[in-house]
Amino acid sequence: MTTATSVTTTSLQDRLDTYWSGRAVEYHAHQVSGARAAIDRELWTSVFTTSLEGCGVDKAGALDILDVGTGSGYLASLLTDAGHHVTGVDHSPGMVAAAHAAHPDLRVLIGDAHAPGIPASSLDAVVNRYVLWTLPDPVAAARAWRTLLRPGGTVVAVDATWFPHGVDPAMKVPSADGEDAFVRTYDPATLGALPLGTAASMEDFAEVFRVAGFTDVTVQSLPQVAELDRRFGVAPGHESRPHFVVTARCP
């Protein structure tokens, strides 16, 4: 796992929050519209419900779940529809506002992935999608998540090796702050401050949870995402990257 360069966490987090707030409306619209939307929802329902099987000691049915970096509430909504009790947290005010607008019945709060503000030992699972790569301190975040879980609880994290060679300066992503906002935000200094920002292997992501004290850490590739990318295309400005799911157990 790479080591972050010296950038103050506060200023870095402010930069990230500002970008994702400006991106929120377009980000949500891309997830829920178009020919791929229903197929994606079916895929992610399957990935997460399968990964959560056996989660929760002496518990059947609904799980108490925290969706960290919930964004516009996509994953939290999906798991709520699957019958679970879900709280979403995100540090970007714009994303939380988008989640409230799209899913008014969801419990979505402003919260830091590194310190979500949830009572200790109160959860069966912590989940996230596309969050680990952009955390300033993923190991510290994972350690915090471990304290929130009941014994036998599970983390399920989906991500990809997005930028092993850095961000293409010509990349354009729709945002209220301009199509160059992503490139301006995730410049070399920012990527250098994110331990997984330029990770080249899914094992780098799994290692976060081993270092954080989890057991039964597994990582599995998700080739079906690449197949959908081939059939339907990818988000504007992005390219298809290998996806994977990491699962880890709280001892």
Side-chain angles (χ1 to χ4, degrees):
M1 189 167 62
T2 56
T3 301
T5 58
S6 179
V7 174
T8 63
T9 301
T10 300
S11 62
L12 174 59
Q13 191 63 59
D14 287 345
R15 283 170 57 82
L16 300 177
D17 291 345
T18 297
Y19 170 73
W20 288 107
S21 286
R23 172 76 173 128
V25 172
E26 292 281 358
Y27 185 82
H28 177 71
H30 175 75
Q31 294 184 97
V32 299
S33 61
R36 179 171 173 168
I39 299 172
D40 262 341
R41 193 169 180 88
E42 182 179 347
L43 167 65
W44 294 121
T45 298
S46 175
V47 167
F48 279 91
T49 56
T50 299
S51 298
L52 288 169
E53 288 178 358
C55 174
V57 176
D58 298 327
K59 190 162 189 173
L63 300 174
D64 297 317
I65 299 176
L66 177 68
D67 179 18
V68 178
T70 191
S72 60
Y74 180 87
L75 180 55
S77 170
L78 181 155
L79 291 172
T80 297
D81 286 351
H84 301 297
H85 306 302
V86 187
T87 297
V89 297
D90 202 286
H91 207 266
S92 161
M95 280 292 188
V96 171
H100 287 158
H103 310 288
D105 294 332
L106 282 182
R107 184 171 184 251
V108 180
L109 311 171
I110 292 282
D112 188 339
H114 305 82
I118 302 296
S121 303
S122 64
L123 300 172
D124 299 303
V126 175
V127 300
N128 54 77
R129 191 176 69 123
Y130 309 150
V131 170
L132 288 171
W133 78 274
T134 192
L135 290 180
D137 193 338
V139 171
R143 285 176 175 147
W145 305 341
R146 185 161 61 88
T147 69
L148 308 181
L149 290 167
R150 300 173 179 126
T154 299
V155 168
V156 181
V158 165
D159 222 308
T161 52
W162 293 108
F163 303 108
H165 308 296
V167 172
D168 181 351
M171 183 175 179
K172 295 186 182 303
V173 181
S175 167
D177 297 321
E179 289 187 328
D180 63 341
F182 186 92
V183 172
R184 288 188 281 108
T185 301
Y186 288 94
D187 59 14
T190 296
L191 279 182
L194 304 175
L196 296 173
T198 56
S201 168
M202 62 185 181
E203 285 297 331
D204 292 336
F205 292 76
E207 184 66 12
V208 165
F209 296 100
R210 298 187 184 105
V211 173
F214 285 84
T215 60
D216 302 324
V217 179
T218 64
V219 58
Q220 181 180 353
S221 62
L222 297 172
Q224 56 268 53
V225 179
E227 172 60 21
L228 291 181
D229 290 344
R230 185 190 66 78
R231 289 173 58 191
F232 296 101
V234 297
H238 290 69
E239 62 180 52
S240 184
R241 297 295 305 166
H243 280 55
F244 47 84
V245 56
V246 183
T247 60
R249 188 79 66 178
C250 178

